[in-house]
Amino acid sequence: MAYPHADIEARWQAYWEKHKTFRTPDEVDPTREKFYVLDMFPYPSGDGLHVGHPEGYTATDILARYQRMKGVNVLHPMGWDSFGLPAEQHAINTGNHPKGKTYENIDTFRRQLKMLGFSYDWDREIATTDDEYVRWTQWIFLQLFKRGLAYEGEMPVNWSPDLCAVLANEEVEEQRAKGYRVERRAMRQWVLKITAYAERLLADLDDLDWPESIKEMQRNWIGRSEGAEVDFAVNGETLRVYTTRPDTLFGATYMVLAPEHPLVDRITTPEQRAEVEAYRTAAAAKSDLERAELTKEKTGVFTGGFAVNPVNGESIPVWIADYVLWGYGTGAIMAVPAHDTRDYEFAEKFGLPIIQVVEPPEGVDWRGYVDDGVAVNSGEYDGLPTEEFKQRITAWLEERGVGEAKVNYKLRDWLFSRQRFWGEPFPLLHCPKCGVVPVPEDELPVRLPEMSDYRPTPDGQPPLARAEEWVKAVCPKCGGPATRETNTMPQWAGSCWYYLRFIDPRNDRALVDPEKEKYWMPVDLYVGGAEHAVLHLLYSRFWHKVLYDCGVVSMAEPFRKLVNQGMILGEMEYTLFRDAATGEPVSYDQTTANGQYEQVRLTEAEVDKAGDGFVWKAQREIVVKARADKMSKSRGNVINPDHIVKEYGADSLRLYEMFMGPLTQVKPWSMKGVEGVFRFLNRVYRLVVVEETGELSPRLSDETPTPEQLHALHVAIQKVTEDIEQMDFNTAISAMMIFVNAAQGWERLPKKLLEPFVLILSPFAPHLAEELWHRLGHEETLAYEPWPAVNPEYLKRETIEIPIQVNGRLRGRVQLAPDSPEAEVLAAALACPEVQAHLAGKELKRKIYIPGRMVNLVVG
RNA sequence: GCCCGGGUGGUGGAAUGGCAGACACAAGGGACUUAAAAUCCCUUUCCCUUCGGGGAGUGCGGGUUCGACUCCCGCCCCGGGCACCA
């Protein structure tokens, strides 16, 4: 027998919808405290919701419901990141506009989310594919364009012939992992000048309440480095290099240019030309990734040219090698093999000289020593510590006009166009007379046309180029004929600013009303997966700063606090390996990568822990594989939230996902664990209702709760309150379980005792809580009932138990009043018989009392 | 290679200088039942025990402290991110 979760959940979801319980007022009251709690909105894929989604969504929902009960004005919205490749693929396959499939998927997602009882203000729902939303995405792009932050260039890009699309550097890995080919190709592209904001994006990270790991990832991505540019003379020309170690200039024994460097042509000697050309051709054919993959073995070719080192007039050979990147610094380096790992490898391979110029600490080999030290073999600079040397030599270079201090970033400009149909069209026209002209703001949005063929063209022309009528336009400047830009924006565009639109989703005069923006921003808590650590979060911050500079938003950073939920893995699986040929079981640690094995699933009962691993009970020398894997269709270990809700109810799913462990941690799914929280909810239900009859429990009473009951209740209130604030949801649930375990043993259950308990349960299991609240005699929703306050009086105990240690080992306990003076506690401790046995015949050297916690007696 | 996390019973986890293993799962035993399910109660880190208790124990090795899962030093293993950025 189980509590009627299906009825209860349907009833309260209907109630919330009918009463618009979670509607956030449109008008803002600046005097009211606010809390903007945001989930990373999902891409509504055709597969529907998976169990990973409700993890973060439940966490934010608990916070939202809790804050409402604290009287805070809460903004808790949901929407759809609805542009995306799967819908476009569907359109290509069927010839139908991707819109249809997209909005069907949204309907599925919305139904599934409502089924889980999240307290979103659904009146604020937005989709990035809505015309009204696209309008403002395009508007923001125009602001970037007008500020010179969007430019067009013939760029070497990552072209995927399978996707017929250009990918951002950041996306290459992801798409390759999915099996798509990616190669280099030069194409006309729109690029956003994110590098202009590199310094601010880096500096403003410091004040954010984000996980340190995410901030660190962004810092690494931006990759700021300080150093110097130095001019070397080659054949009367200047070869400029970038180095972070100008102090090692005396140790430069050769130079390396990127194969693409324009100087290569002019310095290559006739004897070396053929070899150099061959190397350059080979390098050009490789993608960035292929170049990186050949890391193991350095390659390069001598150009025949020599460069003169400005600090000592030495002539050193100039090589080309693909370990030097054309896109970073000046595309050329001075090589200091003694103190740079890459240069060292290269010099070793090609027999180039290695000169020590940094003295490492005592006992460390100078060869390949890359850290700071003291200068040697550097003329008048000998003896200088690295840091000081850097400054002196940079000043010297600047004085002579042969170099300067320079800051560099790894961050590249953001390749912003895609040769796809299903994205925001660029609000730009190409006019033969006026060049690139923005579409006037009052003509936005530029809508996508209806088409019959959504395929991209194999030559890289976007599908929009086929929409001949759509492409034709009139230039707003000269009135002459113009053509529309046929590239579209990447999926990131819509997700860059959606958190702003939630504040004022139906505004048709501005993307957000400034007064409302000022009230609601920043987002107080942003929860989502760590996979967006760099891309989405960096792009959003960039756009936000541009909007800040435009005066559209009032502060420089959008997300005050960020939390990443940990991934939910499939169930723990025990696998026995058998030799495919003989059928003999093979120990997992004996298996090899190219061996052929039959894999057999074992149950927990068939295995036993042995040392670090698990063995097969039937044959204990056989080690089995024990691990939980990522959920995936191919592994067949995907848990469908619909099934869980059907079987156990939404409250159980919510509660289980919060009870599994700390929110931020990776954790394996356990069906048994779901049943565990389900049993807990059943027990809660039975405190109030007699399950068989549906009648109120005869144990309920109008009496005043006993001190013992109040104590248990207020301990729970305190723990749940603290834990919600710290997002330690698993221990909050544990505290409620402790209360319910105690309550089961009580003969009488005063309503005044259960009511506050139902309230603290409500953020976690809102449907059941509403039902019980109602059954306890309330007409209205509990969503805005004041959060129960802890009464410290009830937390006090008449006596407390003090553990007594002798030499740090627990030997006994004493019962005392909590405010007993130290002397009394120590006397009781010494009098304790179990303790005395360990004191006998020894000298008492020290007595330590930690008030209310414990006693330690040190004897010798 | 570098940078972050993390390592605690059979399992998920709790305890952030003061009783290691809360809470839950699994397992074992019992009650109820014609029986089963459901429910409820008990046991459950390991080893020894004369059943009073004793000893060991939070990846490994050291250290600090009256006291260390917690702090410090060195190492091993697992997960994630970055990876020729000069």
Side-chain angles (χ1 to χ4, degrees):
Chain A
M1 192 66 186
Y3 83 98
H5 53 83
D7 286 0
I8 291 173
E9 290 176 0
R11 180 156 59 250
W12 288 100
Q13 283 163 18
Y15 176 97
W16 297 328
E17 183 136 349
K18 180 177 164 214
H19 293 85
K20 287 191 186 291
T21 304
F22 305 113
R23 183 84 178 90
T24 303
D26 284 319
E27 295 315 312
V28 300
D29 171 1
T31 61
R32 242 190 113 191
E33 195 189 337
K34 67 95 182 178
F35 185 69
Y36 184 0
V37 52
L38 181 67
D39 296 298
M40 288 186 188
F41 67 164
Y43 171 72
S45 78
D47 298 335
L49 215 62
H50 61 80
V51 292
H53 287 113
E55 191 190 11
Y57 299 168
T58 303
T60 53
D61 198 56
I62 290 166
L63 266 310
R65 288 175 179 271
Y66 168 72
Q67 292 290 352
R68 276 188 210 103
M69 294 172 80
K70 300 271 281 188
V72 172
N73 194 16
V74 171
L75 181 58
H76 187 40
M78 182 44 83
W80 320 105
D81 189 12
S82 41
F83 281 114
L85 291 184
E88 176 145 1
Q89 205 53 49
H90 180 82
I92 290 167
N93 296 341
T94 63
N96 296 323
H97 198 289
K99 209 163 220 171
K101 182 72 185 164
T102 298
Y103 284 84
E104 249 175 63
N105 288 349
I106 287 177
D107 287 343
T108 304
F109 260 71
R110 190 191 304 103
R111 178 187 62 73
Q112 288 185 301
L113 289 182
K114 286 194 174 179
M115 174 184 88
L116 291 170
F118 296 128
S119 63
Y120 296 121
D121 177 356
W122 285 106
D123 287 358
R124 291 173 187 257
E125 176 185 345
I126 53 178
T128 55
T129 45
D130 294 343
D131 283 337
E132 269 310 287
Y133 189 88
V134 166
R135 172 183 172 189
W136 294 106
T137 307
Q138 291 173 338
W139 183 87
I140 296 169
F141 175 81
L142 287 182
Q143 310 314 307
L144 284 146
F145 180 76
K146 285 171 186 169
R147 296 187 151 247
L149 293 168
Y151 62 95
E152 209 183 2
E154 191 78 20
M155 311 252 324
V157 295
N158 306 301
W159 168 255
S160 169
D162 300 320
L163 295 165
C164 290
V166 167
L167 305 172
N169 286 330
E170 303 88 280
E171 294 170 306
V172 171
E173 204 46 53
E174 185 190 337
Q175 298 302 332
R176 272 179 186 262
K178 292 182 187 166
Y180 297 111
R181 289 173 296 166
V182 183
E183 60 194 37
R184 296 291 271 183
R185 198 193 248 202
M187 276 188 173
R188 186 184 63 81
Q189 296 293 329
W190 283 96
V191 183
L192 298 187
K193 221 185 233 170
I194 190 171
T195 51
Y197 281 72
E199 196 60 51
R200 286 164 68 186
L201 287 167
L202 182 67
D204 291 353
L205 279 173
D206 292 346
D207 299 325
L208 297 176
D209 184 4
W210 287 20
E212 208 41 54
S213 61
I214 301 288
K215 292 209 257 183
E216 205 49 36
M217 280 164 75
Q218 293 217 349
R219 287 189 191 109
N220 290 339
W221 194 264
I222 294 165
R224 183 184 197 275
S225 69
E226 285 178 14
E229 288 191 351
V230 186
D231 293 332
F232 285 64
V234 190
N235 295 352
E237 292 200 59
T238 299
L239 170 55
R240 176 160 275 226
V241 301
Y242 173 71
T243 177
T244 55
R245 293 296 298 271
D247 63 296
T248 60
L249 262 164
F250 288 86
T253 57
Y254 63 101
M255 318 266 305
V256 186
L257 305 186
E260 299 90 339
H261 201 291
L263 203 60
V264 175
D265 271 335
R266 301 202 289 277
I267 62 168
T268 303
T269 57
E271 307 83 75
Q272 295 299 109
R273 186 154 302 274
E275 208 183 334
V276 166
E277 281 312 317
Y279 188 80
R280 295 182 88 181
T281 310
K286 291 180 202 162
S287 70
D288 277 358
L289 201 92
E290 284 161 332
R291 273 169 72 155
E293 271 167 0
L294 300 170
T295 302
K296 294 252 178 293
E297 202 50 12
K298 293 268 182 296
T299 60
V301 177
F302 178 44
T303 62
F306 285 85
V308 177
N309 189 334
V311 297
N312 55 12
E314 297 263 340
S315 192
I316 55 176
V318 181
W319 288 62
I320 62 170
D322 64 6
Y323 82 90
V324 171
L325 304 177
W326 176 230
Y328 182 77
T330 62
I333 62 154
M334 61 171 202
V336 184
H339 307 294
D340 181 283
T341 317
R342 299 148 300 183
D343 298 345
Y344 185 76
E345 278 173 32
F346 194 82
E348 286 274 274
K349 177 160 178 192
F350 293 102
L352 292 156
I354 301 171
I355 300 173
Q356 181 193 11
V357 289
V358 180
E359 183 68 24
E362 209 42 59
V364 180
D365 188 5
W366 61 267
R367 259 168 270 263
Y369 178 77
V370 298
D371 295 325
D372 286 9
V374 174
V376 293
N377 297 329
S378 299
E380 55 180 299
Y381 298 98
D382 281 358
L384 279 183
T386 300
E387 234 358 88
E388 199 183 333
F389 191 177
K390 278 184 186 173
Q391 288 171 19
R392 292 267 297 271
I393 195 74
T394 305
W396 185 91
L397 291 165
E398 280 176 358
E399 232 166 75
R400 302 288 164 114
V402 291
E404 60 189 327
K406 171 85 183 177
V407 172
N408 255 319
Y409 301 92
K410 287 196 219 173
L411 184 69
R412 310 293 159 85
D413 277 341
W414 174 13
L415 203 84
F416 192 65
S417 42
R418 299 290 182 273
Q419 287 63 50
R420 311 282 321 186
F421 173 80
W422 192 225
E424 299 87 346
F426 281 80
L428 294 173
L429 302 172
H430 297 273
C431 170
K433 280 190 211 144
C434 314
V436 177
V437 181
V439 172
E441 286 179 11
D442 58 13
E443 288 176 26
L444 299 180
V446 177
R447 292 182 165 83
L448 288 166
E450 293 290 333
M451 294 178 71
S452 53
D453 185 356
Y454 296 96
R455 274 177 307 169
T457 60
D459 62 353
Q461 278 286 308
L464 281 176
R466 296 178 198 236
E468 286 164 31
E469 279 311 303
W470 181 85
V471 168
K472 282 182 207 159
V474 176
C475 174
K477 249 189 195 165
C478 68
T483 58
R484 287 190 191 282
E485 170 65 51
T486 55
N487 279 312
T488 52
M489 298 185 201
Q491 194 177 1
W492 307 111
S495 61
C496 262
W497 71 281
Y498 72 109
Y499 56 92
L500 288 171
R501 193 60 178 170
F502 279 137
I503 291 170
D504 196 8
R506 309 289 170 240
N507 192 330
D508 59 3
R509 299 175 317 280
L511 78 88
V512 60
D513 177 81
E515 202 186 321
K516 293 176 184 173
E517 187 278 332
K518 210 169 171 175
Y519 175 73
W520 283 112
M521 286 301 286
V523 173
D524 296 282
L525 176 68
Y526 193 25
V527 176
E531 65 272 21
H532 297 110
V534 176
L535 304 182
H536 160 61
L537 288 168
L538 195 66
Y539 294 154
S540 277
R541 294 180 61 224
F542 166 47
W543 276 35
H544 197 83
K545 286 179 190 303
V546 174
L547 291 173
Y548 177 67
D549 292 348
C550 295
V552 175
V553 298
S554 58
M555 51 191 77
E557 284 289 337
F559 312 119
R560 189 177 62 75
K561 181 180 168 108
L562 174 74
V563 171
N564 295 121
Q565 83 266 24
M567 204 192 336
I568 296 180
L569 304 175
E571 295 248 2
M572 176 76 139
E573 292 178 15
Y574 303 94
T575 312
L576 173 70
F577 284 70
R578 286 178 186 278
D579 187 294
T582 65
E584 281 300 304
V586 182
S587 242
Y588 179 55
D589 50 1
Q590 302 291 313
T591 57
T592 54
N594 47 14
Q596 296 289 307
Y597 304 102
E598 184 202 349
Q599 301 190 15
V600 187
R601 273 291 294 278
L602 299 179
T603 62
E604 215 182 322
E606 293 173 284
V607 298
D608 232 338
K609 180 96 179 207
D612 284 343
F614 282 83
V615 295
W616 189 27
K617 272 185 183 166
Q619 233 176 302
R620 302 191 62 91
E621 67 279 9
I622 300 298
V623 175
V624 302
K625 178 181 171 191
R627 66 176 287 150
D629 291 301
K630 254 186 207 183
M631 286 191 193
S632 72
K633 275 189 203 161
S634 57
R635 284 201 184 88
N637 60 352
V638 176
I639 304 288
N640 180 338
D642 283 355
H643 293 159
I644 307 294
V645 170
K646 190 157 181 285
E647 195 85 3
Y648 304 99
D651 284 337
S652 289
L653 177 64
R654 294 170 57 114
L655 205 66
Y656 173 63
E657 293 211 3
M658 294 300 100
F659 187 61
M660 290 172 87
L663 179 66
T664 55
Q665 198 164 298
V666 177
K667 40 210 175 263
W669 186 268
S670 157
M671 222 52 223
K672 292 288 185 186
V674 180
E675 287 172 21
V677 294
F678 178 60
R679 281 198 285 268
F680 164 71
L681 291 179
N682 275 287
R683 285 196 285 270
V684 172
Y685 182 74
R686 287 197 302 267
L687 289 181
V688 179
V689 181
V690 176
E691 212 176 277
E692 292 74 18
T693 60
E695 306 276 307
L696 281 179
S697 166
R699 291 158 78 204
L700 290 179
S701 79
D702 293 317
E703 304 161 35
T704 307
T706 65
E708 186 204 355
Q709 289 177 327
L710 286 170
H711 178 77
L713 173 68
H714 283 255
V715 166
I717 294 172
Q718 175 168 264
K719 182 75 178 144
V720 170
T721 306
E722 278 173 13
D723 286 353
I724 289 178
E725 302 252 357
Q726 288 165 36
M727 300 181 75
D728 290 331
F729 303 116
N730 54 330
T731 48
I733 293 165
S734 152
M736 291 189 282
M737 287 173 167
I738 291 169
F739 175 82
V740 171
N741 289 348
Q744 281 192 112
W746 293 328
E747 216 142 288
R748 312 291 298 162
L749 289 171
K751 286 183 188 166
K752 285 281 163 282
L753 180 76
L754 291 186
E755 281 175 349
F757 174 74
V758 166
L759 292 179
I760 61 173
L761 175 69
S762 70
F764 299 83
H767 308 89
L768 177 61
E770 289 274 22
E771 179 70 14
L772 297 182
W773 186 249
H774 178 71
R775 299 296 297 265
L776 287 167
H778 301 273
E779 290 301 316
E780 302 270 298
T781 172
L782 52 61
Y784 295 92
E785 286 298 317
W787 186 254
V790 178
N791 185 338
E793 278 305 307
Y794 299 138
L795 295 178
K796 286 187 188 158
R797 305 256 70 180
E798 271 174 38
T799 63
I800 53 168
E801 190 181 70
I802 305 277
I804 313 298
Q805 295 182 342
V806 178
N807 286 350
R809 309 187 61 93
L810 181 72
R811 297 301 181 186
R813 303 158 199 282
V814 292
Q815 297 283 333
L816 287 161
D819 48 358
S820 305
E822 179 164 350
E824 205 174 298
V825 177
L826 289 175
L830 290 166
C832 175
E834 303 95 317
V835 170
Q836 278 184 334
H838 292 273
L839 295 179
K842 304 213 174 97
E843 183 198 350
L844 188 61
K845 287 185 170 166
R846 207 170 152 184
K847 296 174 278 190
I848 294 151
Y849 174 52
I850 309 299
R853 301 293 307 222
M854 68 177 316
V855 169
N856 191 10
L857 303 171
V858 184
V859 296

